[in-house]
Amino acid sequence: MLYINKSNSECYDFENGIDFPPGEVIESEATSFVKRKLKEGILGEVNEEELQDEDEIDLNKLTVPQLKELAAKRKIDIDSDDKKQEIIDKIKAGV
């Protein structure tokens, strides 16, 4: 499975030797560390389709959580009160 570190800090699974740099997508097993960080909101799951270029993705078909993960991966700041279209616009603009 692919995971993204949604925080601004590096996240390291010492038991399994896996480094999760901020905003980077890493392939990993669903270890106890990964499961805990998913629950804490530090890590997020990423689908293969989200890794394609935004031109190839129909952003309107993604859910708000998927859009937020994509924005986090691309280090795009999203406000908690941003609406779906605002998030899409920010992703397209790359800001």
Side-chain angles (χ1 to χ4, degrees):
M1 184 58 148
L2 298 173
Y3 301 96
I4 185 167
N5 180 349
K6 300 190 299 184
S7 74
N8 292 326
S9 301
E10 192 158 325
C11 188
Y12 195 81
D13 180 354
F14 289 102
E15 185 176 318
N16 296 293
I18 304 169
D19 184 25
F20 296 90
E24 299 233 356
V25 175
I26 303 295
E27 186 169 1
S28 173
E29 299 280 326
T31 65
S32 58
F33 174 85
V34 167
K35 290 176 186 175
R36 185 173 67 250
K37 294 302 177 184
L38 283 169
K39 285 181 184 178
E40 293 173 2
I42 304 293
L43 297 179
E45 292 182 2
V46 177
N47 296 323
E48 288 287 335
E49 65 187 40
E50 294 176 41
L51 297 178
Q52 300 170 359
D53 288 336
E54 64 205 34
D55 296 334
E56 297 176 26
I57 299 172
D58 185 352
L59 297 175
N60 291 309
K61 290 184 179 179
L62 298 179
T63 64
V64 170
Q66 289 172 321
L67 289 167
K68 287 181 177 182
E69 286 185 27
L70 182 60
K73 179 181 126 292
R74 296 180 182 184
K75 299 182 181 180
I76 297 169
D77 291 327
I78 301 297
D79 296 322
S80 61
D81 61 343
D82 279 349
K83 304 286 187 236
K84 183 174 182 172
Q85 190 57 52
E86 293 171 318
I87 297 170
I88 291 171
D89 292 342
K90 287 182 178 182
I91 290 172
K92 286 181 177 180
V95 294

